Amino acid sequence: MFLVPINRSASGWVRNVDRLFDESFDRFFSGTATAASARSPSLDVAESEQAYTVTLDLPGVAKGDVKVSIEGRRVSIEAKSTKGGERKESDRVLLRERAASSYARSFVLPAELDNARSNAKLEHGVLTLELAKRQATPATKITVN
């Protein structure tokens, strides 16, 4: 077994090489730079009798930069964060790991959703969706003449 000692300065270099390899690999197989740069945020889904509650982490995203669309049982989420950190002209950047990010996620739920009764809330970088289930219309009786 061969072990390579890594010190603090080398770990940053290794992280940059890993990031470069990951981005290049994604771009090569996806065919587009935008698909490679969009992150797929993890989500939690809880179900009640009336609705689904979906929670996603979207750090650095403003409310106006989130788009949620519902089509039947499919939910699609797109979001963009801006590059953080204003700096003065005289400041010299020593390390920059934060950058603008985009997020995209789409998933299908077991029941049809009611767009009118569903809502979304973004607080402290956490998007919470309350997705109401479409209520089945009660059967009606028709009189035969």
Side-chain angles (χ1 to χ4, degrees), residues 30-55:
S30 69
T32 61
T34 55
S37 61
R39 297 178 182 182
S40 180
S42 299
L43 57 89
D44 296 332
V45 180
E47 180 181 16
S48 68
E49 290 184 25
Q50 302 297 318
Y52 295 100
T53 302
V54 180
T55 308

Side-chain angles (χ1 to χ4, degrees), residues 23-79:
E23 290 172 0
S24 300
F25 187 79
D26 288 343
R27 283 191 185 110
F28 178 76
F29 285 106
S30 69
T32 61
T34 55
S37 61
R39 297 178 182 182
S40 180
S42 299
L43 57 89
D44 296 332
V45 180
E47 180 181 16
S48 68
E49 290 184 25
Q50 302 297 318
Y52 295 100
T53 302
V54 180
T55 308
L56 296 99
D57 290 333
L58 299 175
V61 176
K63 290 180 184 181
D65 295 333
V66 178
K67 296 177 186 175
V68 179
S69 62
I70 301 171
E71 296 176 21
R73 298 182 313 143
R74 176 173 295 282
V75 179
S76 298
I77 301 161
E78 294 180 13

